[in-house]
Amino acid sequence: MASVSDALLAALDHQEQGRVVEAETLHRRILDAAPATVDAWHLLGLLLAQSGRLAEAEPLLRRAVALAPNRPDCAGNLAKLLMALGRRGEVVWLCQAVALIAPDRLEPWMPEILGQAGQRRLEGGDPRAACRLLSLAAAAMPGSGVVQAHLGGAFQRLGQNDAAEECYRAALGCGFDTPDLRANLADILFARGRSWQCGGGHAEALALFGEAWRLIAGQAQAIGADRARDLCLFMGVSRHAVSAYENAARAFANAVMLDPAHPAALDSAARAWLDCRERERGARALMWRWTLDPTNVDLCLGAARALERAREPGEAAEWYARAARLSGDPGHEASAILSLNLTNAPAAVVTAAARRWADRHAEPLTRAAPPPAVRSSAGRPLRVGYLCENFLTHDFTCLPLVEHHSADFTIVVYSLGRDDDNELLARYAAAAGLFRRAHGLDNAALADVIRADAIDILVDGAGFSSHSARLLTMARRPAPLQIHFPVMTTTGLSAMDAVLVDGTTVPVGRDVDFSEQVMRLPIGYHYSPLAPTPDAAREPPVAKTGCVTFGSFNALSKLSAATLEAWALILRRLPTARLVVKSIDVTVSDQRALSRALGPQLEVRGPTASVDEHMASFNGIDIHLDSFPYGGVTTTAQALWMGVPVVTLAGDRVLDRYGASLLRAVLLEDLATRSLVDYVETAVALAGDVERLRALRGGLRARMRASPLSDPVRFTKDVEGAYHALWRRMSGAAG
């Protein structure tokens, strides 16, 4: 008998020649004789399938595959048969087998079967099986973006992000692009960026976050606002960490737009806007944030401070008041009163606010306080105590008194500031009979110390601007005579006996604005430089250039809308003029706002490096334009000292009239105007009077020295006269 191999060759010949019966008969004889002959099972199955006997062919081909699982032809032909029978789902394992054994033998439709099966496994929650199938499909169809995208999804679910990223990028390279693919790739980049961020690699994190954002930009709705929001938040964190505050703020703002009620997004946006000194935007974010947490005092205070710096004092006052209502803190309510002074609120409104503050916080302390001990002053000097918080404006007035008091007074200084390095403290300590560092004492303890020191006259110069609400020390009546000086507004305290002013800051008839007795001095403020200053320039700049240079060196928080309007009118009248605005608190947003209001004639400068440079800056301007309603005090005095005349607009409140008081002291009352029109006209007229500007440049400092404004001895004598008069009046009333 012929061998099995010979019989197979004969059967195959019959099959190829179309002799179906002969081929089938011979294949069956072979199988009867040698049932493990794979080729016989395989070829007979093919023969029956080709003859249309599909059902009979299936078990034969299955037997061939079972006997030879590594034969791609067997597996492939069984797969074709099952496809012909419409049983597509049963061929996956066969296609997988072919792909593993001989990928070059895959039929064109097989990778598609593998890809679809892999997608189903992925959707069914079996990423490992999906990964196996999709990897085979991707190897067979490297140009299929769909397969690459699904394979990336399988890798990502398995935590193999590097492989997933490679697949996603391959899919994009094939032109396959969907929101889900972009979102998934963005998630990988986002996760990697967070890892860098946690390790301090913010630059690397930003690069990844930036690419992730570019992938999903404009697709927040499609990919989910939460995912986009979180990406924006982390982008903001890394930008903020590398001091890219404006870019950080914009990232946080995007997060807010995606989720307007997300507290962290609002908090972060507010902080970043404030850090890049976009104060109004920061305030708006805090105000919005407060609506989510309306009992949060810190949010109220943050909004108030930002609004104050953004030159919105009216709104700032409202937010300070809101913080005060929530907390009951007298300091917050005091800040609201300070902000009111930056508005055009009438004097009666400010006075009423001060009295409400006193009724709420001070009067209960006054009623509970022991009566002050009034000692006879016969044969002894009066003991005067100064509460000194080292505010610059206060120092200009307080320090010359401490240094020039006569033997009729013993001076005690209570240093309440926290700046122990302040060089002025040494001067206070050297001049005072007793110098106490008392900033660590609360108001009750400070009052006890003052009583123990047997102070006759206690003088407060901070008022509502005190960081520790030292008016509450005065409310406890530690001294028999208590005075507020220099003055911003009434304190409202029944325990405050008097205020020292002058006839310009508080004209006759305006005593109604004060709870205290109004005592008028020749001048209500003193200015002598606390350190050597440069000489005034010989000539005003206009004498050389022919074009006048205006200036304003006041704090920008004082620049009201009305002030900017007046300046704009002046510059329109003088198209060749310049205006230099210099401030310690200038920001980019300030520059934009000022430029919009004042145009190309404006020059904005930041702070100078030293007081000496600040004073020298006045030599570069011809005329200083005061702010209103809250005018300059120290800055106005500095301008006059450097020979620069000041145009001011006097209002009805104390802080509106210091400029007029200083100008009166140096015989320049005509520069203190009463209306916006007069303010503009006076500035324009003075700009055209070069000879007057030249004369003032050379003579203003001498005028100041000859007046009580800059004569510390004369100024101190006037104040001592007021002390004596008030003491006699008080002693007489007590006796």
Side-chain angles (χ1 to χ4, degrees):
M1 179 178 178
S3 66
V4 171
S5 59
D6 291 337
L8 279 173
L9 288 173
L12 180 60
D13 182 63
H14 287 308
Q15 195 165 337
E16 289 176 347
Q17 297 301 318
R19 297 187 290 271
V20 175
V21 175
E22 292 83 349
E24 179 180 355
T25 300
L26 190 51
H27 282 313
R28 290 189 183 282
R29 287 177 181 173
I30 294 170
L31 291 174
D32 288 339
T37 306
V38 174
D39 284 331
W41 291 106
H42 181 217
L43 291 172
L44 180 56
L46 282 179
L47 179 65
L48 296 179
Q50 291 165 356
S51 302
R53 297 154 61 186
L54 303 183
E56 295 178 60
E58 180 184 351
L60 301 173
L61 291 174
R62 284 189 180 279
R63 180 62 175 164
V65 171
L67 290 170
N70 293 325
R71 288 270 300 269
D73 53 343
C74 297
N77 286 325
L78 177 57
K80 290 179 187 178
L81 176 66
L82 293 174
M83 288 289 287
L85 290 170
R87 288 148 62 185
R88 186 183 182 93
E90 298 180 40
V91 305
V92 174
W93 67 277
L94 295 164
C95 295
Q96 185 175 5
V98 175
L100 289 170
I101 301 164
D104 58 322
R105 300 280 296 274
L106 283 170
E107 298 286 342
W109 50 270
M110 287 183 172
E112 182 180 349
I113 293 291
L114 291 170
Q116 292 170 351
Q119 182 180 349
R120 287 194 297 274
R121 297 291 194 282
L122 186 61
E123 293 168 352
D126 188 356
R128 292 192 182 280
C131 194
R132 288 192 294 270
L133 293 167
L134 290 165
S135 295
L136 294 172
M141 297 188 297
S144 173
V146 175
V147 172
Q148 294 286 357
H150 289 142
L151 179 56
F155 279 128
Q156 191 169 9
R157 291 195 192 181
L158 292 171
Q160 299 178 34
N161 285 344
D162 289 346
E165 179 185 355
E166 184 178 346
C167 292
Y168 288 143
R169 293 193 183 282
L172 289 171
C174 294
F176 182 77
D177 192 351
T178 67
D180 279 344
L181 185 153
R182 286 175 166 266
N184 290 338
L185 177 55
D187 283 344
I188 290 171
L189 298 175
F190 178 41
R192 190 174 298 135
R194 288 183 61 181
S195 296
W196 276 108
Q197 192 179 75
C198 292
H202 290 282
E204 295 85 352
L206 274 174
L208 292 162
F209 291 151
E211 184 179 359
W213 180 251
R214 287 190 293 275
L215 283 166
I216 65 171
Q219 299 188 59
Q221 295 304 316
I223 68 166
D226 288 353
R227 294 163 80 184
R229 176 205 64 209
D230 289 346
L231 176 54
C232 291
L233 284 172
F234 279 90
M235 287 176 70
V237 168
S238 276
R239 286 173 171 167
H240 196 273
V242 296
S243 301
Y245 297 129
E246 186 168 357
N247 287 334
R250 296 191 186 285
F252 291 135
N254 283 336
V256 172
M257 287 189 289
L258 290 164
D259 190 349
H262 195 274
L266 285 165
D267 286 340
S268 300
R271 184 177 68 252
W273 283 125
L274 293 175
D275 284 340
C276 66
R277 308 183 86 179
E278 290 277 4
R279 289 159 180 162
E280 185 169 1
R281 288 179 172 176
R284 301 302 169 198
L286 287 169
M287 292 159 67
W288 190 350
R289 171 72 174 86
W290 179 81
T291 63
L292 306 177
D293 188 4
T295 62
N296 192 316
V297 175
D298 289 338
L299 290 173
C300 294
L301 292 175
R305 290 166 185 148
L307 286 164
E308 198 169 56
R309 295 186 181 99
R311 301 192 305 282
E312 297 289 348
E315 285 190 89
E318 293 174 8
W319 283 87
Y320 278 127
R322 184 174 281 123
R325 287 193 295 272
L326 289 170
S327 67
D329 189 322
H332 301 159
E333 192 172 347
S335 295
I337 295 171
L338 291 174
S339 289
L340 272 181
N341 282 288
L342 288 165
T343 71
N344 59 359
V349 171
V350 180
T351 299
R355 287 173 175 161
R356 284 195 300 273
W357 185 93
D359 288 343
R360 197 158 19 242
H361 305 292
E363 296 311 307
L365 300 174
T366 302
R367 290 191 291 269
V374 181
R375 301 184 304 143
S376 171
S377 60
R380 69 173 180 88
L382 289 170
R383 290 175 66 81
V384 180
Y386 288 99
L387 301 183
C388 179
E389 297 201 38
N390 300 125
F391 297 128
L392 188 59
T393 297
H394 182 212
D395 287 333
F396 278 114
T397 300
C398 184
L399 185 56
L401 294 176
V402 174
E403 291 184 325
H404 294 89
H405 266 305
S406 69
D408 290 343
F409 298 88
T410 297
I411 304 303
V412 180
V413 171
Y414 300 93
S415 176
L416 305 177
R418 296 185 179 276
D419 184 4
D420 291 336
D421 296 330
N422 188 330
E423 60 186 23
L424 297 181
L425 294 182
R427 289 176 59 178
Y428 278 111
L434 176 63
F435 179 82
R436 291 194 182 279
R437 294 183 183 272
H439 67 75
L441 299 178
D442 63 21
N443 288 304
L446 179 58
D448 290 340
V449 170
I450 293 168
R451 286 192 190 94
D453 287 338
I455 298 299
D456 298 306
I457 303 172
L458 184 62
V459 183
D460 163 70
F464 290 111
S465 60
S466 169
H467 296 313
S468 300
R470 295 304 185 181
L471 286 179
L472 298 181
T473 296
M474 309 289 282
R476 290 173 165 86
R477 262 292 183 193
L481 177 58
Q482 301 192 147
I483 298 170
H484 180 48
F485 175 66
V487 175
M488 176 182 292
T489 184
T490 181
T491 65
L493 272 64
S494 63
M496 194 72 76
D497 300 293
V499 292
L500 303 186
V501 296
D502 61 43
T504 302
T505 52
V506 183
V508 173
R510 298 304 308 184
D511 293 23
V512 68
D513 296 332
F514 291 85
S515 300
E516 307 86 349
Q517 177 184 347
V518 175
M519 174 68 75
R520 290 179 176 84
L521 304 171
I523 185 74
Y525 179 73
H526 174 271
Y527 176 81
S528 292
L530 299 173
T533 60
D535 292 334
R538 292 175 178 270
E539 295 275 333
V542 67
K544 298 178 180 179
T545 65
C547 300
V548 71
T549 301
F550 295 102
S552 170
F553 295 174
N554 288 337
L556 290 184
S557 59
K558 295 184 178 183
L559 302 189
S560 64
T563 301
L564 298 183
E565 178 186 354
W567 292 355
L569 290 171
I570 293 168
L571 294 177
R572 281 200 288 272
R573 293 277 297 277
L574 301 170
T576 62
R578 295 171 57 244
L579 171 60
V580 176
V581 172
K582 183 177 81 69
S583 176
I584 60 172
D585 57 352
V586 65
T587 69
V588 173
S589 57
D590 289 328
Q591 291 183 358
R592 287 198 293 263
L594 291 170
S595 296
R596 284 195 299 269
L598 301 171
Q601 292 167 266
L602 171 73
E603 178 186 345
V604 179
R605 298 179 189 170
T608 46
S610 65
V611 174
D612 192 67
E613 289 183 31
H614 167 69
M615 296 298 287
S617 297
F618 285 101
N619 284 332
I621 63 174
D622 297 293
I623 301 167
H624 196 272
L625 297 176
D626 202 5
S627 56
F628 56 87
Y630 189 170
V633 185
T634 300
T635 306
T636 297
Q638 289 172 332
L640 297 174
W641 184 261
M642 295 302 295
V644 179
V646 179
V647 177
T648 191
L649 176 56
D652 294 327
R653 306 173 308 178
V654 174
L655 288 177
D656 305 354
R657 300 184 60 81
Y658 269 107
S661 173
L662 300 178
L663 289 171
R664 180 181 61 82
V666 293
L667 307 177
L668 290 176
E669 293 97 328
D670 63 308
L671 301 185
T673 64
R674 292 292 298 169
S675 71
L676 188 147
V677 172
D678 287 344
Y679 180 96
V680 173
E681 293 299 331
T682 299
V684 171
L686 182 59
D689 193 343
V690 177
E691 290 307 314
R692 187 182 186 192
L693 292 173
R694 181 180 280 117
L696 290 172
R697 184 69 61 154
L700 261 180
R701 188 174 294 188
R703 288 196 199 186
M704 290 183 73
R705 284 178 168 146
S707 76
L709 173 58
S710 299
D711 182 342
V713 175
R714 182 175 167 188
F715 173 71
T716 302
K717 184 177 180 181
D718 291 336
V719 171
E720 288 181 346
Y723 288 171
H724 278 303
L726 289 167
W727 180 259
R728 286 193 299 269
R729 196 172 304 169
M730 185 275 302
S731 299

